[in-house]
Amino acid sequence: MSVPRGSLGDVQTMLAKELSLLSESTVGEESELTFEAVIPAILKSENWNGDQVFLLTIHQSESLPERNEGELPAIVKFSVDPNYGRSATEITHVIVMIHGIRDIGNWQHNVTHNLVAKGTAVEMLQYQLYPAMRFLWPWDGSKTPVQRVLKRMRALKNQYPNARMSVIAHSFGTYVTLKAIEADADLQFWKIVFCGSVANEQFEWSDIKRRIGDGDRATKDFVINDCGTGDVFPILGATFGWHYGMAGATGFSEGFIVNRFHKSVDGLKGGHGLYFSPEFVRQHWRPFLIEDQAPSCGDGVQGEDLPRIVKWLYHGWFRWLCRFLAWIALFIAFLAGVVLSARLVIAAWPAICDFTRQLFGLDSA
């Protein structure tokens, strides 16, 4: 890397402030500097050790040479302790990521790469693989996930005593997050980002708003609800589930938060997972979480990419009708299965009796 002549000292000062320097050397009357440094991220998870140490050489030059786009310093070490050179008491911000159903948070690694910031720890909470069938049960099956998330959050609070805690939650993870906040009145949060939420759109944020933010600014400066304009899953969850809502499609009704609507990627296929691209994270989440900037605007309008039949599910009576018909269909399928099984057993009963007599020699008796 080359810099204009006379600016080497300024670059040295800047790097010393922004990076965790492991070594530093000067060559040729301060005409060249070589650094070995840790990239300025404090990333931590159970399955990933974070970023690497890189080697950076800076030359003074009268004219700057052309550099290939995307060229990076050479990596010289791997799997470095992401908290290198810092104690847990120096961490000032912890971002907790909570996944949804049918996955164990594979998207969390991609998001983590784009939330690099000095003094920020990024924690990936994985409660368990939550199958879609449990999501449709008439009784609430979130007790175990909520307990696991609560346990991890309390542990993080003790591990980083000087840090503010923020949350990024997706899909069912938003429902779990709100349950955890309601269950523990001691939990305080700096910022909250929901995406693809299946929480009740009528959730009363006024009950918990005193535990979010800095206590001075408006709550909506600290809470964002990102919605896909073609995301059908929150609507289907509210229709066929018994405890969930469609805040990830319609937004929350209270004015304490910011609802943003984003155009889906590749139609409906990208509606529920459009939030995890590097471009989206850098444009919409990083400035809000890391730099404390005002939330940017979405590029869509509520439900503009949804089929007309899906929009009918906005109406509560139509959702109840669909749920009723679905349970009738399941009940009929269950009865049909019982009848079919009984007919098969009756048809096979003579063969079963013959086999039993031959097996135990009853014919000879």
Side-chain angles (χ1 to χ4, degrees), residues 30-99:
E30 300 185 357
S31 63
E32 179 180 305
L33 283 174
T34 299
F35 294 95
E36 189 180 16
V38 178
I39 197 167
I42 303 177
L43 313 175
K44 191 174 183 181
S45 74
E46 297 174 353
N47 305 316
W48 185 55
N49 291 325
D51 283 291
Q52 305 90 9
V53 168
F54 63 84
L55 191 66
L56 178 63
T57 301
I58 303 176
H59 309 269
Q60 290 195 105
S61 176
E62 297 294 344
S63 60
L64 297 181
E66 294 185 359
R67 184 173 69 88
N68 295 329
E69 185 176 357
E71 182 180 344
L72 297 174
I75 296 174
V76 295
K77 294 182 182 178
F78 298 88
S79 300
V80 184
D81 181 359
N83 289 312
Y84 184 89
R86 299 185 183 92
S87 67
T89 57
E90 296 179 89
I91 306 302
T92 58
H93 188 197
V94 178
I95 300 176
V96 179
M97 294 188 291
I98 305 175
H99 62 85

Side-chain angles (χ1 to χ4, degrees), residues 206-219:
S206 56
D207 293 341
I208 63 171
K209 67 185 184 69
R210 288 183 175 83
R211 292 191 279 134
I212 302 172
D214 59 7
D216 184 26
R217 291 149 56 187
T219 306

Side-chain angles (χ1 to χ4, degrees), residues 189-244:
F189 293 91
W190 171 239
K191 294 196 173 183
I192 294 177
V193 174
F194 281 176
C195 55
S197 175
V198 298
N200 190 339
E201 65 276 10
Q202 302 296 326
F203 180 82
E204 296 184 0
W205 287 89
S206 56
D207 293 341
I208 63 171
K209 67 185 184 69
R210 288 183 175 83
R211 292 191 279 134
I212 302 172
D214 59 7
D216 184 26
R217 291 149 56 187
T219 306
K220 66 180 180 180
D221 288 354
F222 302 93
V223 184
I224 287 177
N225 179 46
D226 282 323
C227 310
T229 59
D231 190 355
V232 301
F233 289 101
I235 302 175
L236 295 179
T239 301
F240 299 106
W242 293 83
H243 306 278
Y244 312 106

